[in-house]
PDB file of all heavy atoms in Angstrom:
ATOM      1  N   LYS A  59     -47.168  78.685  11.024  1.00 88.00           N
ATOM      2  CA  LYS A  59     -48.298  79.595  10.843  1.00 88.00           C
ATOM      3  C   LYS A  59     -49.058  79.229   9.576  1.00 88.00           C
ATOM      4  O   LYS A  59     -48.510  78.657   8.656  1.00 88.00           O
ATOM      5  CB  LYS A  59     -47.803  81.046  10.717  1.00 88.00           C
ATOM      6  CG  LYS A  59     -47.108  81.591  11.956  1.00 88.00           C
ATOM      7  CD  LYS A  59     -48.109  81.997  12.983  1.00 88.00           C
ATOM      8  CE  LYS A  59     -47.428  82.634  14.191  1.00 88.00           C
ATOM      9  NZ  LYS A  59     -48.401  83.014  15.200  1.00 88.00           N
ATOM     10  N   ASP A  80     -59.547  81.431  15.522  1.00 89.00           N
ATOM     11  CA  ASP A  80     -58.455  80.699  14.882  1.00 89.00           C
ATOM     12  C   ASP A  80     -58.741  79.200  14.959  1.00 89.00           C
ATOM     13  O   ASP A  80     -59.810  78.781  15.418  1.00 89.00           O
ATOM     14  CB  ASP A  80     -57.095  81.081  15.497  1.00 89.00           C
ATOM     15  CG  ASP A  80     -56.909  80.589  16.922  1.00 89.00           C
ATOM     16  OD1 ASP A  80     -57.719  79.751  17.393  1.00 89.00           O
ATOM     17  OD2 ASP A  80     -55.945  81.036  17.574  1.00 89.00           O
ATOM     18  N   GLN A  82     -57.695  76.991  16.855  1.00 87.00           N
ATOM     19  CA  GLN A  82     -57.805  76.442  18.206  1.00 87.00           C
ATOM     20  C   GLN A  82     -59.051  76.970  18.921  1.00 87.00           C
ATOM     21  O   GLN A  82     -59.288  76.686  20.081  1.00 87.00           O
ATOM     22  CB  GLN A  82     -56.577  76.806  19.050  1.00 87.00           C
ATOM     23  CG  GLN A  82     -55.357  75.926  18.800  1.00 87.00           C
ATOM     24  CD  GLN A  82     -54.565  76.367  17.600  1.00 87.00           C
ATOM     25  OE1 GLN A  82     -54.659  77.515  17.159  1.00 87.00           O
ATOM     26  NE2 GLN A  82     -53.789  75.480  17.041  1.00 87.00           N
ATOM     27  N   ASN A  84     -59.596  80.247  19.457  1.00 92.00           N
ATOM     28  CA  ASN A  84     -59.320  81.523  20.132  1.00 92.00           C
ATOM     29  C   ASN A  84     -59.919  82.663  19.315  1.00 92.00           C
ATOM     30  O   ASN A  84     -59.774  82.693  18.096  1.00 92.00           O
ATOM     31  CB  ASN A  84     -57.807  81.749  20.266  1.00 92.00           C
ATOM     32  CG  ASN A  84     -57.132  80.631  21.013  1.00 92.00           C
ATOM     33  OD1 ASN A  84     -57.505  80.302  22.129  1.00 92.00           O
ATOM     34  ND2 ASN A  84     -56.146  80.007  20.380  1.00 92.00           N
ATOM     35  N   VAL A 107     -58.046  87.867  24.300  1.00 97.00           N
ATOM     36  CA  VAL A 107     -57.675  87.459  25.663  1.00 97.00           C
ATOM     37  C   VAL A 107     -57.001  88.624  26.391  1.00 97.00           C
ATOM     38  O   VAL A 107     -55.990  89.156  25.917  1.00 97.00           O
ATOM     39  CB  VAL A 107     -56.733  86.232  25.631  1.00 97.00           C
ATOM     40  CG1 VAL A 107     -56.269  85.862  27.032  1.00 97.00           C
ATOM     41  CG2 VAL A 107     -57.428  85.057  24.965  1.00 97.00           C
ATOM     42  N   ARG A 114     -62.116  87.847  28.564  1.00 97.00           N
ATOM     43  CA  ARG A 114     -62.318  88.275  27.165  1.00 97.00           C
ATOM     44  C   ARG A 114     -62.625  89.766  27.107  1.00 97.00           C
ATOM     45  O   ARG A 114     -63.529  90.241  27.813  1.00 97.00           O
ATOM     46  CB  ARG A 114     -63.496  87.529  26.551  1.00 97.00           C
ATOM     47  CG  ARG A 114     -63.307  86.052  26.524  1.00 97.00           C
ATOM     48  CD  ARG A 114     -62.635  85.621  25.243  1.00 97.00           C
ATOM     49  NE  ARG A 114     -62.202  84.241  25.384  1.00 97.00           N
ATOM     50  CZ  ARG A 114     -61.211  83.686  24.724  1.00 97.00           C
ATOM     51  NH1 ARG A 114     -60.540  84.389  23.865  1.00 97.00           N
ATOM     52  NH2 ARG A 114     -60.889  82.441  24.903  1.00 97.00           N
ATOM     53  N   LYS A 152     -52.531  91.078  22.646  1.00 96.00           N
ATOM     54  CA  LYS A 152     -51.610  90.408  21.724  1.00 96.00           C
ATOM     55  C   LYS A 152     -52.038  90.673  20.279  1.00 96.00           C
ATOM     56  O   LYS A 152     -53.192  90.462  19.921  1.00 96.00           O
ATOM     57  CB  LYS A 152     -51.615  88.902  21.989  1.00 96.00           C
ATOM     58  CG  LYS A 152     -50.609  88.149  21.178  1.00 96.00           C
ATOM     59  CD  LYS A 152     -50.723  86.664  21.418  1.00 96.00           C
ATOM     60  CE  LYS A 152     -49.910  85.925  20.367  1.00 96.00           C
ATOM     61  NZ  LYS A 152     -50.312  84.530  20.259  1.00 96.00           N
ATOM     62  N   ASP A 170     -51.814  80.275  14.205  1.00 88.00           N
ATOM     63  CA  ASP A 170     -50.994  79.083  14.432  1.00 88.00           C
ATOM     64  C   ASP A 170     -51.639  77.876  13.776  1.00 88.00           C
ATOM     65  O   ASP A 170     -52.868  77.773  13.728  1.00 88.00           O
ATOM     66  CB  ASP A 170     -50.851  78.818  15.943  1.00 88.00           C
ATOM     67  CG  ASP A 170     -49.972  79.853  16.604  1.00 88.00           C
ATOM     68  OD1 ASP A 170     -49.094  80.404  15.923  1.00 88.00           O
ATOM     69  OD2 ASP A 170     -50.185  80.119  17.794  1.00 88.00           O
ATOM     70  N   LYS A 171     -50.777  76.970  13.326  1.00 86.00           N
ATOM     71  CA  LYS A 171     -51.297  75.720  12.767  1.00 86.00           C
ATOM     72  C   LYS A 171     -51.919  74.902  13.902  1.00 86.00           C
ATOM     73  O   LYS A 171     -51.561  75.087  15.063  1.00 86.00           O
ATOM     74  CB  LYS A 171     -50.150  74.919  12.147  1.00 86.00           C
ATOM     75  CG  LYS A 171     -49.792  75.393  10.759  1.00 86.00           C
ATOM     76  CD  LYS A 171     -48.730  74.496  10.176  1.00 86.00           C
ATOM     77  CE  LYS A 171     -48.409  74.944   8.764  1.00 86.00           C
ATOM     78  NZ  LYS A 171     -47.247  74.261   8.234  1.00 86.00           N
ATOM     79  N   PRO A 172     -52.813  73.998  13.576  1.00 79.00           N
ATOM     80  CA  PRO A 172     -53.426  73.179  14.628  1.00 79.00           C
ATOM     81  C   PRO A 172     -52.354  72.473  15.450  1.00 79.00           C
ATOM     82  O   PRO A 172     -51.324  72.075  14.914  1.00 79.00           O
ATOM     83  CB  PRO A 172     -54.259  72.154  13.843  1.00 79.00           C
ATOM     84  CG  PRO A 172     -54.479  72.766  12.517  1.00 79.00           C
ATOM     85  CD  PRO A 172     -53.304  73.653  12.242  1.00 79.00           C
ATOM     86  N   GLY A 173     -52.624  72.393  16.730  1.00 68.00           N
ATOM     87  CA  GLY A 173     -51.669  71.717  17.614  1.00 68.00           C
ATOM     88  C   GLY A 173     -50.838  72.686  18.413  1.00 68.00           C
ATOM     89  O   GLY A 173     -50.217  72.319  19.391  1.00 68.00           O
ATOM     90  N   ARG A 174     -50.826  73.966  18.012  1.00 55.00           N
ATOM     91  CA  ARG A 174     -50.100  74.993  18.780  1.00 55.00           C
ATOM     92  C   ARG A 174     -51.100  75.884  19.475  1.00 55.00           C
ATOM     93  O   ARG A 174     -52.176  76.124  18.969  1.00 55.00           O
ATOM     94  CB  ARG A 174     -49.214  75.831  17.853  1.00 55.00           C
ATOM     95  CG  ARG A 174     -47.983  75.108  17.378  1.00 55.00           C
ATOM     96  CD  ARG A 174     -47.141  76.039  16.542  1.00 55.00           C
ATOM     97  NE  ARG A 174     -46.845  77.282  17.224  1.00 55.00           N
ATOM     98  CZ  ARG A 174     -45.812  77.452  18.044  1.00 55.00           C
ATOM     99  NH1 ARG A 174     -44.990  76.492  18.265  1.00 55.00           N
ATOM    100  NH2 ARG A 174     -45.605  78.612  18.637  1.00 55.00           N
ATOM    101  N   ARG A 175     -50.712  76.373  20.646  1.00 55.00           N
ATOM    102  CA  ARG A 175     -51.619  77.224  21.414  1.00 55.00           C
ATOM    103  C   ARG A 175     -51.253  78.685  21.264  1.00 55.00           C
ATOM    104  O   ARG A 175     -50.101  79.031  21.145  1.00 55.00           O
ATOM    105  CB  ARG A 175     -51.583  76.875  22.899  1.00 55.00           C
ATOM    106  CG  ARG A 175     -52.342  75.638  23.244  1.00 55.00           C
ATOM    107  CD  ARG A 175     -52.386  75.473  24.760  1.00 55.00           C
ATOM    108  NE  ARG A 175     -52.957  76.644  25.442  1.00 55.00           N
ATOM    109  CZ  ARG A 175     -54.251  76.895  25.538  1.00 55.00           C
ATOM    110  NH1 ARG A 175     -55.120  76.075  25.001  1.00 55.00           N
ATOM    111  NH2 ARG A 175     -54.696  77.959  26.181  1.00 55.00           N
ATOM    112  N   THR A 176     -52.263  79.556  21.217  1.00 50.00           N
ATOM    113  CA  THR A 176     -52.006  80.999  21.197  1.00 50.00           C
ATOM    114  C   THR A 176     -52.483  81.589  22.513  1.00 50.00           C
ATOM    115  O   THR A 176     -53.245  80.967  23.235  1.00 50.00           O
ATOM    116  CB  THR A 176     -52.771  81.687  20.057  1.00 50.00           C
ATOM    117  OG1 THR A 176     -54.143  81.358  20.166  1.00 50.00           O
ATOM    118  CG2 THR A 176     -52.222  81.267  18.709  1.00 50.00           C
ATOM    119  N   GLY A 177     -52.018  82.768  22.809  1.00 50.00           N
ATOM    120  CA  GLY A 177     -52.432  83.416  24.055  1.00 50.00           C
ATOM    121  C   GLY A 177     -53.686  84.184  23.921  1.00 50.00           C
ATOM    122  O   GLY A 177     -54.259  84.301  22.883  1.00 50.00           O
TER     123      GLY A 177
END
Side-chain angles (χ1 to χ4, degrees):
K59 296 281 184 181
D80 69 12
Q82 280 83 21
N84 302 305
V107 176
R114 300 270 167 206
K152 185 184 168 199
D170 289 332
K171 279 184 178 171
R174 286 183 53 87
R175 283 187 56 80
T176 54

